[in-house]
């Protein structure tokens, strides 16, 4: 009996040892594979402060126009399904005022998150007091909880066990500010949804706006995590060409700015041509010229900067004048494609296909004009 027990004990020990080795090797493999994946992930950062360029009036005007204000998408029910419909009887004047009010409200809802430079964490040493060395093995954190101060202005310092008094690092400041003055929707610790595994799943499901909205609540625009997460979302949207998922949302402007800054606008320009958003294509080219200093005709830029009333109701067919203007836009896009684009073949084919279709529409519209006796 004793011999049998020793044999069982020996077998169990070997099994545990093998399990430990297997788990250790699996953990190491997973660790190294995760590291390799992180290093191979494409991440584009701003090489200089983008805020001065992003805050320019002409850049803001172009980004707002490219965003395309669509009231149905802005005021849609995103979380709670509501099948109720409200009908109102209005005069023409009341309808006009209601539309103007809706446009103003939609423009406020489409206010873009700022694009600023990533903030570097600098923990200034205030003093070194050797008399306090080894007084305690723990750090002491002192927080100014004066009411009415901005979180960025609040003084938070740390006394280290060696007697050094130093400004608190940013992560500690953010955590303490959230404890004393909590912001609605923000967690003290980073939510698991921003971890690579869960974030990738959300991106594959196309929940770009949800991720970006949550990032705006959880992080400040100058945080490193905010820059990395938004860059991953923008890159995935561009790779999957899911531009409509962000179009007419407050994130489309920063997304376009990101693509233009890093010269990645080919797929977006191709999408604009296919969806008959040629004016947006001209605005995109004007924005590219503004940020990178490429040559562009001044009349083209002025055309792109002309303020237009949002088209709430799309016309069934374009007029002759609009079709002629589209031909001018096509020539500008074609010139940009040949000089600056990287996907020249795809873009030129799209331009050629659009031009042939537009010529057919123009001949038809001119024929209808002649039938009605119009010149």
């Amino acid at each position: 009996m004793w011999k049998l027990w020793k044999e069982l004990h020996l077998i169990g020990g070997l099994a545990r040892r093998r399990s430990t080795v297997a788990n250790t090797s699996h953990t190491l493999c997973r660790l190294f594979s995760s590291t390799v994946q992180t290093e191979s992930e494409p991440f584009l950062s701003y090489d200089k402060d983008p805020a001065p360029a992003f805050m320019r009036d002409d850049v803001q005007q172009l980004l707002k126009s490219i965003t395309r204000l669509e009231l149905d998408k802005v005021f849609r029910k995103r979380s709670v399904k509501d099948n109720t419909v409200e009908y109102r009887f209005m005069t023409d004047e009341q309808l006009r005022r209601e539309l103007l009010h809706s446009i103003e409200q939609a423009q406020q809802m489409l206010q873009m998150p700022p694009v600023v430079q990533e903030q570097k964490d600098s923990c200034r040493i205030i003093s070194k007091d050797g008399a306090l060395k080894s007084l305690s093995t723990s750090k002491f954190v002192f927080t100014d909880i004066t009411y009415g101060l901005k979180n960025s202005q609040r003084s938070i310092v740390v006394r280290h066990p060696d007697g050094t008094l130093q400004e608190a690092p940013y992560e500690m400041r953010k955590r303490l500010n959230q404890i004393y003055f909590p912001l609605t929707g923000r967690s003290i610790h980073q939510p698991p949804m921003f971890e690579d595994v869960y974030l990738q799943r959300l991106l594959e499901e196309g929940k770009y706006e949800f991720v970006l909205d949550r990032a705006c609540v959880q992080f400040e625009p100058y945080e490193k995590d905010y820059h990395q997460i938004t860059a991953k979302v923008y890159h995935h949207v561009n790779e999957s060409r899911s531009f409509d998922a962000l179009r007419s949302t407050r994130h489309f402007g920063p997304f376009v700015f990101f693509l233009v800054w890093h010269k990645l606008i080919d797929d977006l320009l191709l999408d604009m041509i296919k969806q008959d958003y040629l004016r947006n294509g001209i605005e995109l080219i004007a924005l590219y010229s503004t940020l990178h200093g490429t040559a562009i005709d001044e009349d083209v830029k002025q055309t792109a900067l002309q303020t237009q009333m949002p088209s709430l109701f799309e016309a069934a067919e374009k007029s002759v004048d609009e079709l002629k203007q589209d031909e001018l836009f096509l020539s500008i896009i074609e010139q940009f494609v040949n000089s600056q684009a990287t996907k020249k073949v795809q873009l030129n084919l799209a331009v050629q296909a659009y031009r042939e279709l537009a010529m057919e529409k123009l001949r038809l519209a001119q024929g209808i004009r002649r039938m009605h006796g119009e010149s």
Side-chain angles (χ1 to χ4, degrees):
M1 184 69 180
W2 174 251
K3 186 177 180 180
L4 179 61
W5 183 86
K6 286 181 66 177
E7 290 177 354
L8 290 174
H9 181 71
L10 179 61
I11 294 172
L14 290 174
R16 283 194 301 271
R17 204 176 309 166
R18 288 175 181 172
S19 176
T20 305
V21 172
N23 290 336
T24 304
S25 61
H26 175 70
T27 304
L28 289 174
C29 291
R30 185 175 57 186
L31 176 62
F32 284 117
S33 65
S34 176
T35 305
V36 172
Q37 182 182 1
T38 302
E39 291 177 353
S40 63
E41 281 182 355
F43 172 68
L44 298 172
S45 59
Y46 294 100
D47 52 354
K48 60 181 180 179
D49 187 6
F54 182 78
M55 298 299 178
R56 287 178 50 170
D57 292 338
D58 54 346
V59 172
Q60 286 288 305
Q61 183 177 342
L62 290 171
L63 291 176
K64 288 178 181 178
S65 181
I66 293 174
T67 298
R68 300 188 64 86
L69 190 151
E70 299 175 6
L71 296 181
D72 289 343
K73 188 169 184 178
V74 174
F75 294 109
R76 73 193 187 281
K77 298 287 184 180
R78 289 192 293 172
S79 56
V80 180
K81 293 183 179 180
D82 187 3
N83 295 325
T84 60
V85 180
E86 181 181 356
Y87 294 96
R88 297 181 186 178
F89 292 97
M90 297 181 180
T91 62
D92 292 343
E93 180 62 23
Q94 289 174 334
L95 178 61
R96 187 185 67 83
R97 288 200 300 265
E98 190 68 24
L99 285 174
L100 290 177
H101 175 71
S102 299
I103 292 173
E104 292 177 1
Q105 189 176 357
Q107 289 174 344
Q108 293 178 0
M109 296 174 68
L110 291 179
Q111 183 66 39
M112 294 176 284
V115 179
V116 297
Q117 191 175 28
E118 180 185 324
Q119 178 177 295
K120 304 299 180 181
D121 199 358
S122 59
C123 303
R124 183 174 61 91
I125 296 177
I126 301 172
S127 66
K128 292 185 178 181
D129 194 342
L132 298 177
K133 186 177 181 180
S134 301
L135 179 65
S136 174
T137 58
S138 303
K139 297 178 182 179
F140 290 89
V141 183
F142 303 90
T143 307
D144 181 6
I145 59 173
T146 304
Y147 181 76
L149 286 179
K150 294 182 179 178
N151 288 345
S152 58
Q153 299 173 342
R154 201 173 300 282
S155 178
I156 304 177
V157 296
V158 183
R159 176 72 74 177
H160 295 272
D162 62 354
T164 302
L165 184 65
Q166 189 177 21
E167 291 180 346
Y170 179 76
E171 285 300 324
M172 184 182 292
R173 290 182 57 87
K174 181 179 177 182
R175 186 167 64 250
L176 290 170
N177 280 322
Q178 183 62 18
I179 291 174
Y180 288 111
F181 305 96
L183 298 177
T184 305
R186 177 174 291 183
S187 303
I188 295 177
H189 301 288
Q190 180 172 303
M193 63 171 287
F194 293 122
E195 297 176 6
D196 289 340
V197 178
Y198 303 111
L199 180 60
Q200 186 63 30
R201 185 186 305 172
L202 289 171
L203 296 181
E204 290 173 357
E205 294 175 358
K207 298 182 179 180
Y208 307 114
E209 189 178 3
F210 170 70
V211 174
L212 293 173
D213 284 340
R214 190 69 179 87
C216 289
V217 175
Q218 183 64 30
F219 307 106
E220 298 295 336
Y222 48 78
E223 290 187 44
K224 180 180 180 180
D225 290 334
Y226 179 82
H227 278 251
Q228 291 181 341
I229 290 169
T230 53
K232 288 179 182 178
V233 176
Y234 296 157
H235 184 77
H236 196 279
V237 172
N238 188 47
E239 287 294 315
S240 60
R241 300 183 181 182
S242 305
F243 304 111
D244 283 336
L246 291 183
R247 187 174 274 120
S248 195
T249 70
R250 62 180 181 144
H251 305 291
F252 197 71
F255 164 67
V256 172
F257 184 86
F258 177 87
L259 295 184
V260 174
W261 184 281
H262 297 292
K263 300 182 179 181
L264 299 172
I265 65 171
D266 288 18
D267 289 326
L268 180 58
L269 183 59
L270 181 63
D271 179 77
M272 289 176 174
I273 296 172
K274 289 181 177 180
Q275 297 209 47
D276 198 9
Y277 297 156
L278 294 189
R279 183 180 180 84
N280 290 152
I282 298 301
E283 292 164 345
L284 185 65
I285 293 172
L287 181 61
Y288 187 96
S289 173
T290 302
L291 295 185
H292 298 291
T294 57
I296 187 174
D297 191 80
E298 191 62 29
D299 293 337
V300 176
K301 192 169 185 179
Q302 292 301 323
T303 302
L305 290 173
Q306 287 178 358
T307 304
Q308 276 196 331
M309 186 70 177
S311 54
L312 303 179
F313 308 102
E314 295 291 342
E317 294 292 341
K318 289 185 176 182
S319 63
V320 174
D321 295 336
E322 290 174 336
L323 291 172
K324 290 181 179 179
Q325 189 181 44
D326 285 348
E327 179 58 33
L328 175 62
F329 289 163
L330 276 178
S331 62
I332 298 171
I333 292 174
E334 194 172 22
Q335 182 180 358
F336 173 82
V337 168
N338 294 328
S339 61
Q340 300 293 335
T342 56
K343 299 182 179 181
K344 291 182 171 60
V345 176
Q346 298 180 31
L347 286 166
N348 280 321
L349 288 175
V351 169
Q352 182 181 355
Y354 187 96
R355 179 176 280 122
E356 292 175 357
L357 182 61
M359 291 298 296
E360 290 293 331
K361 291 182 178 180
L362 180 60
R363 283 195 290 268
L364 179 62
Q366 290 174 340
I368 294 175
R369 263 192 172 187
R370 287 193 295 269
M371 290 175 60
H372 288 82
E374 300 178 8
S375 57

